[in-house]
Amino acid sequence: MLLLECSGDTRLWQAYLEGLKKFLAFRKDMGMPAAWPIPEDQVRGFLAVESLYSCSKTLTYVAALSYLSRLSGNPDPLEDAITRCMVMGLRRQVGILREKYTPITIEVLRSLLGALESVCVSHYECLLFRAL
């Protein structure tokens, strides 16, 4: 864990270490066995308990569990359908959604068309894109 901490952003690794410690403490407090790969019911229980305090921190903690599990050659504990739905619910509460799309406006379209000359290979290609 120390080598991993030195290899990247120290704040991220501190948050990951905190998440791992909280998960291990949760498992101990609940009398759950220390099993690897992490059983799905343990992850779900951890999500349910920790989300009562801070949704954003809980997302960081489960990201740590996911990363460390995959790093050790085990399957991702978040790939379970129910767990994935729980994580999506937490993301909704925090405001992190990948499905946020906005329709293209005329102003955005005009700015894209204005950049065609710098992107296109030929004048003909530029005319084709403008025709669409």
Side-chain angles (χ1 to χ4, degrees), residues 22-120:
K22 284 206 175 240
F23 176 71
L24 295 175
F26 163 78
R27 200 154 59 171
K28 182 179 177 186
D29 292 344
M30 299 302 278
M32 296 177 171
W36 287 89
I38 303 171
E40 297 162 352
D41 61 329
Q42 291 183 6
V43 175
R44 289 182 202 143
F46 182 68
L47 273 168
V49 170
E50 283 298 314
S51 65
L52 297 174
Y53 305 109
S54 171
C55 293
S56 58
K57 281 190 176 186
T58 303
L59 288 172
T60 304
Y61 296 161
V62 294
L65 293 177
S66 172
Y67 181 75
L68 294 171
S69 184
R70 287 181 285 129
L71 189 67
S72 62
N74 293 308
D76 188 352
L78 304 182
E79 286 301 314
D80 173 55
I82 297 171
T83 308
R84 200 173 326 127
C85 288
M86 291 175 75
V87 170
M88 293 261 308
L90 283 175
R91 285 184 178 161
R92 254 186 224 106
Q93 286 182 349
V94 174
I96 305 170
L97 286 177
R98 289 187 179 173
E99 294 87 21
K100 286 188 177 179
Y101 296 109
T102 56
I104 191 165
T105 62
I106 295 296
E107 294 82 24
V108 172
L109 185 59
R110 285 188 181 138
S111 68
L112 290 173
L113 289 175
L116 283 176
E117 286 83 19
S118 62
V119 176
C120 294

